[in-house]
Every structure is written in structure tokens, then in C-alpha cells.
Amino acid sequence: MLTAVDVNFGTVHIRACIGAQYINDLGNLVGVESMSSEANAINDYNEVAGATTVSGGQYHAFWKDGYSGKNQGFIDLGMLAGDNTSVALGLNNYGHAVGYSVNTTTGNQRAVVWFSNGVMWDLTAQVGAANGWALKSATAINNDGWI
């Protein structure tokens, strides 16, 4: 299970959870109970990628060590320049994540890959925007780096 919903006195908080036989609440990047998080991918090393609410109410992609405790082990993956929201959707065993980065004011959304060394790429720029392609989202990356 990758996502769970906690309903508490009429307030719905969506929190990222993992577990086969039990549910483990991953918490969120800022450690505030009312903030949401979503787990979208898990790899063979129990690392998790998804998105979480951060200070200021923005939504940021994250990588998390699945063996760390609640609200611990989160790394904010950031977003592309000019954007204010990002979501990680896929993760491989090398810790490379894929997803999208978006400017919610303009609606401009771009596919992105985050490498485990902190480098981030706009995938449209990598395949050549001159071809007329506009990649909006990446959903998976395998261990050979195929997106």
C-alpha cells in the first residue's frame, strides 16, 4: 500500500504510508500533522518518492529513506526554475526519481528527472525542444535509466 487516508473529526488528511503487513505513516517534510504527503513509488531498497506539503503550502517532490522514522529522512527534490510545485511519480534502485515540475499560476508543466547526486533535468530540454516536443510528465524510470 502506498497511500492512505486518515479521517479525523471531519478533517481529511492524506498521508503517505507503506507496508505489506502493516501501515507505516511516513509523515511529511515539515513534521506538521495537518500537512499532506503522497507516496507514489517505492524501490527494492524501501526508498520512497512522492510529494509533500512544505512550509508556505507549496507541494514539493521528495525522496525518503523508507527505514527512517515518521517525519524523518525526507529530502526535498526541488523544482525547475520558475515553478512552484513538483511531484515525483517513479523511482529506480539507484535513487533516481522522475515526475513533473509545474508553475501553478501559468499552468506550465514539465517532465523532470532528479538524480541521486542532486542534479535535476528538464526532460524536454534533453530531447530537444526544437523538435516541437513538450514533455509534461514522466511516470517511471528503470534501473538502466530508461524513462
Side-chain angles (χ1 to χ4, degrees):
M1 172 181 288
L2 289 179
T3 306
V5 177
D6 170 29
V7 180
N8 185 4
F9 301 106
T11 302
V12 177
H13 303 288
I14 299 175
R15 299 294 290 276
C17 300
I18 60 171
Q21 297 177 351
Y22 60 92
I23 294 177
N24 180 19
D25 184 350
L26 300 178
N28 57 62
L29 188 66
V30 293
V32 177
E33 283 299 316
S34 63
M35 299 288 194
S36 297
S37 63
E38 65 182 75
N40 295 320
I42 186 169
N43 67 17
D44 293 336
Y45 300 109
N46 213 34
E47 298 167 339
V48 180
T52 182
T53 308
V54 296
S55 300
Q58 295 177 327
Y59 216 50
H60 287 200
F62 73 80
W63 173 95
K64 178 180 170 50
D65 175 0
Y67 294 108
S68 59
K70 182 178 177 181
N71 300 326
Q72 298 174 344
F74 281 91
I75 295 177
D76 187 336
L77 297 177
M79 61 210 64
L80 295 170
D83 293 346
N84 57 3
T85 296
S86 60
V87 175
L89 299 171
L91 179 68
N92 70 14
N93 285 342
Y94 295 101
H96 306 323
V98 294
Y100 63 88
S101 180
V102 63
N103 181 313
T104 57
T105 302
T106 65
N108 184 36
Q109 180 174 313
R110 301 175 280 172
V112 63
V113 58
W114 294 274
F115 295 101
S116 58
N117 64 0
V119 174
M120 176 184 353
W121 284 356
D122 176 342
L123 291 174
T124 297
Q126 296 302 310
V127 299
N131 295 329
W133 291 17
L135 304 178
K136 300 294 185 183
S137 184
T139 58
I141 182 169
N142 69 19
N143 293 330
D144 291 324
W146 288 78
I147 299 171

